[in-house]
Amino acid sequence: MLREYRSILPNIKKYAWRYVFGFLFLVTVDAIQLIIPQIIKRAVDLIASGVFELADIARLCGLIALVALAISCGRFVWRRLIFGSARRIETELRQSLFAKLLSLGTDFYQKNKTGDLMARATNDVSQVRQATGMGLVAFVDGVFMSISILIVMFAQNAKVALFTVIPLPIITLLIIGFGGFVSKRFERVQASFSRLSDLVQEGLSGVRVVKAFVREDHFANEFSKANDDYREANMVLVKVWGFFFPLVNFLAGITLLILLAAGGRSVMDNRFSAGDIVSMVAYLEMLIWPMLGAGFTVNIIQRGAASLKRINEVLDSQSDIAQASQPLPGLPSGDIELRSLWFRYPGADDDALSDLNLRIASGKTLGILGRTGSGKSSLLKLLPRLMDCDSGMILFGGHNLGDYELGRLRSAFGFVPQDSFLFSMSIRQNIGFGCDDLGDEELSRIIKICALDRDLNDFPQGWDTLVGERGLSLSGGQKQLVAIARALALRPQVLILDDALSAVDTQTEEKILRALLAERRGRTNIIVSHRVSTLKVADRIIVLEGGCLVQEGDHASLVASGQGFYAEIARLQQLDREAGDV
């Protein structure tokens, strides 16, 4: 259980002095609390004697008030030090978790769902904060108070104290067995919460699809099932706690019964004063909290360990993209060369790319055509090392991609994938997402290239119009144009368009392509498309089939050959255009 806390030991050490002083104040407050029963004892004995002045009682009451004030001040200090440190550790752990998530490769996100990761970053991290705050307080407080109270009780009357503490070993054994029992059930609670979070995330992200297919009732039923499962998992835990705490209170009541029986006889035999038994009762009442606190500590530590186990699974994950130990300086540039490239997705039966050899000349435009599943997108993901090939190599400027620092390598590519993801911010902010110095003049130039200027009147606040989550307020074509503009704003060495103009009409597409080629300024362009009209502007075109390069040449030569997939697609699309004209 405790080994799971290894990941936050550096954080705890960082705030060690705060914890040390916090526990010193905590122990001091506990010690001061032990004074109150002694003051009560004096007051009871004074009253029982029948010879006292009200001023004497008033002085004792004033002393209790001063002690209570000291306890309040000390409690404020230790809460600020210990709970404040726990909050800081929570913040740093969440920051580390998020940084780790950003560093992991695409394979990790294929295995883990977003809702589950969000649950780990919120609910699980909060449980760790409880363990490093209240959990430690309950442990230190319980140990110190238990030992101190038992010493005082045995010092007052060893025989009575011995009878009184008989039930305590039973409580201790219950607490030890209770810890493992709770841990397994809490893990189920966290797993149920992750499932609930994931279902909500998927439902809200795909709300348009849900509505389009009239599946609201289906998602509502799925949510109801997951919600009921989460409730049931919590209810199991509640039932366990509902049994445990009354049992501990019952055993604590037995100790009070024993004290009254044994202490009462001692008072009758004049071996114990009335004040002694009242103070003993007070100490026994104070001892109940450490006993309950022990169970409380076990619960919190177990919950924290279960949550840390889930967090450590992410923190211990390694990216499949290795970083160069001594990366090359500067940004990569030059020709791109693929040598005997092989790639297969994990768990797949067939290769996505097979023995691929290709040279992409710097400053030229390469077009790529192929059927669905032919390896086009896989090839494009390998270039900026979103994934790594299984064998072979990719050279950029004569150097292996792995020799470059990953951030510098990726900054050389402007990648526009098939799915045009936009952030919940303005159009201007989305376009300038990858750079911090995008001025109005440069923004206007890029917007004109992407033919977005014609849509300006459609946006209520112009380029400062918020696009909504995932670009909800934009059409599919507009989202693609904004994504292309975002890639151009990086001023990349290589611009990759992975079927990025599929939702744009052919006239707008031709206008954008002409503008892209006119202003490319030595930039290499790689265009994937199913439209021959898009690919014909390329200096060189390759055709992929089953992960292999089966055709290459320019548009004219491939069409003139009259054979192969490219000529077939060109012929079919020409017939479609002629039919449309008719």
Side-chain angles (χ1 to χ4, degrees):
M1 176 184 73
L2 293 178
R3 69 177 181 273
E4 299 296 344
Y5 286 89
R6 70 189 187 282
S7 59
I8 60 170
L9 283 178
N11 305 81
I12 294 175
K13 290 179 180 178
K14 182 178 178 181
Y15 301 106
W17 70 269
R18 296 178 66 90
Y19 276 111
V20 169
F21 281 103
F23 289 134
L24 283 175
F25 274 93
L26 175 62
V27 170
T28 301
V29 168
D30 288 343
I32 295 173
Q33 283 181 282
L34 298 177
I35 298 174
I36 294 179
Q38 295 299 322
I39 300 174
I40 295 173
K41 172 189 172 182
R42 289 175 56 188
V44 171
D45 286 339
L46 190 61
I47 294 172
S49 68
V51 182
F52 65 92
E53 298 289 337
L54 288 178
D56 297 331
I57 302 300
R59 279 194 296 270
L60 293 175
C61 290
L63 184 57
I64 291 176
L66 288 174
V67 171
L69 179 61
I71 291 172
S72 298
C73 293
R75 187 166 291 162
F76 169 79
V77 174
W78 71 251
R79 280 176 176 268
R80 185 175 179 84
L81 290 172
I82 298 175
F83 290 165
S85 298
R87 285 288 184 183
R88 288 178 172 86
I89 291 173
E90 176 191 23
T91 301
E92 292 174 0
L93 181 60
R94 188 175 284 118
Q95 184 69 33
S96 299
L97 184 61
F98 186 69
K100 186 68 176 183
L101 289 172
L102 291 179
S103 71
L104 293 172
T106 54
D107 63 320
F108 176 84
Y109 293 98
Q110 291 172 352
K111 301 173 186 175
N112 296 274
K113 294 185 176 182
T114 303
D116 176 59
L117 297 176
M118 290 175 62
R120 298 185 194 216
T122 52
N123 204 34
D124 285 316
V125 172
S126 296
Q127 293 298 330
V128 175
R129 186 247 307 161
Q130 288 280 353
T132 55
M134 195 62 205
L136 292 177
V137 168
F139 174 74
V140 173
D141 195 37
V143 170
F144 179 82
M145 289 292 284
S146 297
I147 294 175
S148 300
I149 291 171
L150 288 174
I151 290 174
V152 173
M153 289 176 67
F154 273 88
Q156 286 191 203
N157 192 312
K159 185 177 180 180
V160 173
L162 183 62
F163 280 112
T164 302
V165 299
I166 287 175
L168 294 184
I170 300 175
I171 296 176
T172 302
L173 292 174
L174 280 172
I175 291 169
I176 293 173
F178 183 72
F181 193 70
V182 166
S183 180
K184 294 179 181 178
R185 281 147 187 80
F186 183 71
E187 286 182 15
R188 186 195 164 194
V189 169
Q190 296 297 78
S192 299
F193 182 78
S194 293
R195 164 64 181 155
L196 191 64
S197 299
D198 190 61
L199 192 65
V200 172
Q201 188 272 332
E202 282 190 344
L204 295 181
S205 296
V207 66
R208 286 188 292 183
V209 178
V210 173
K211 289 181 176 295
F213 284 82
V214 197
R215 299 294 286 170
E216 294 93 337
D217 290 342
H218 169 76
F219 258 88
N221 290 333
E222 289 296 311
F223 178 82
S224 179
K225 292 177 184 177
N227 200 24
D228 287 341
D229 183 62
Y230 181 56
R231 175 180 57 81
E232 288 299 324
N234 273 290
M235 287 305 298
V236 170
L237 205 57
V238 168
K239 289 174 184 176
V240 172
W241 278 106
F243 171 76
F244 178 75
F245 275 109
L247 179 61
V248 172
N249 276 310
F250 172 75
L251 293 174
I254 295 295
T255 61
L256 180 60
L257 180 63
I258 295 172
L259 173 60
L260 291 175
R265 181 173 293 278
S266 295
V267 172
M268 294 171 64
D269 294 339
N270 292 321
R271 296 193 306 271
F272 221 31
S273 70
D276 286 329
I277 194 170
V278 170
S279 65
M280 191 77 84
V281 169
Y283 282 126
L284 190 59
E285 289 292 329
M286 294 171 66
L287 190 59
I288 292 174
W289 154 244
M291 288 190 295
L292 294 175
F296 192 56
T297 301
V298 170
N299 178 46
I300 293 179
I301 297 299
Q302 287 282 2
R303 287 189 178 206
S307 292
L308 260 178
K309 180 181 178 181
R310 288 162 46 81
I311 293 171
N312 288 336
E313 288 174 357
V314 178
L315 295 177
D316 293 340
S317 299
Q318 297 298 321
S319 175
D320 57 334
I321 308 298
Q323 291 271 19
S325 57
Q326 293 182 329
L328 296 170
L331 290 172
S333 61
D335 294 351
I336 298 175
E337 185 178 356
L338 284 64
R339 295 181 181 175
S340 301
L341 202 66
W342 292 80
F343 175 74
R344 177 182 294 185
Y345 287 97
D349 296 327
D350 300 318
D351 294 312
L353 297 171
S354 305
D355 196 23
L356 189 61
N357 292 276
L358 178 66
R359 189 179 190 89
I360 306 172
S362 176
K364 299 296 183 178
T365 298
L366 174 71
I368 304 177
L369 178 69
R371 291 183 173 87
T372 300
S374 61
K376 305 184 298 299
S377 295
S378 299
L379 170 60
L380 299 186
K381 291 175 183 177
L382 292 175
L383 297 180
R385 293 194 71 199
L386 296 178
M387 303 182 299
D388 271 341
C389 60
D390 297 325
S391 63
M393 64 173 61
I394 303 176
L395 304 177
F396 195 165
H399 298 283
N400 195 310
L401 291 185
D403 294 335
Y404 293 102
E405 193 274 322
L406 196 57
R408 289 180 178 273
L409 172 68
R410 289 177 178 171
S411 66
F413 290 88
F415 191 13
V416 186
Q418 293 173 326
D419 181 18
S420 301
F421 181 91
L422 299 183
F423 294 93
S424 301
M425 51 181 68
S426 69
I427 297 173
R428 182 193 299 273
Q429 290 171 320
N430 268 288
I431 294 175
F433 179 75
C435 54
D436 300 322
D437 57 348
L438 184 64
D440 290 341
E441 184 177 342
E442 179 70 1
L443 176 66
S444 299
R445 185 185 72 84
I446 292 172
I447 284 172
K448 187 174 182 180
I449 292 172
C450 297
L452 267 171
D453 50 344
R454 67 178 186 178
D455 296 328
L456 179 59
N457 293 332
D458 296 337
F459 306 134
Q461 284 81 43
W463 307 127
D464 294 316
T465 301
L466 297 177
V467 302
E469 187 174 8
R470 293 177 176 264
L472 190 66
S473 63
L474 303 183
S475 68
Q478 288 172 333
K479 284 171 40 175
Q480 287 189 333
L481 298 182
V482 172
I484 294 172
R486 179 172 59 193
L488 288 175
L490 291 173
R491 303 180 188 90
Q493 297 287 330
V494 182
L495 177 64
I496 299 175
L497 302 181
D498 186 4
D499 208 13
L501 292 166
S502 58
V504 178
D505 62 88
T506 53
Q507 291 182 343
T508 304
E509 176 189 46
E510 290 178 6
K511 179 181 177 181
I512 293 171
L513 290 174
R514 285 197 303 269
L516 283 175
L517 296 179
E519 64 82 48
R520 62 185 178 184
R521 303 173 184 176
R523 183 186 63 236
T524 303
N525 298 307
I526 302 176
I527 303 173
V528 170
S529 180
H530 292 93
R531 292 177 182 172
V532 170
S533 60
T534 303
L535 299 176
K536 68 181 182 181
V537 302
D539 300 303
R540 183 184 178 199
I541 301 168
I542 65 171
V543 179
L544 297 179
E545 182 70 35
C548 299
L549 196 159
V550 295
Q551 279 186 291
E552 61 179 312
D554 59 17
H555 171 75
S557 63
L558 290 172
V559 172
S561 70
Q563 298 181 358
F565 184 62
Y566 190 89
E568 179 185 347
I569 291 297
R571 189 164 49 250
L572 290 173
Q573 291 182 2
Q574 179 62 33
L575 290 174
D576 285 342
R577 283 193 294 272
E578 291 175 357
D581 292 339
V582 174

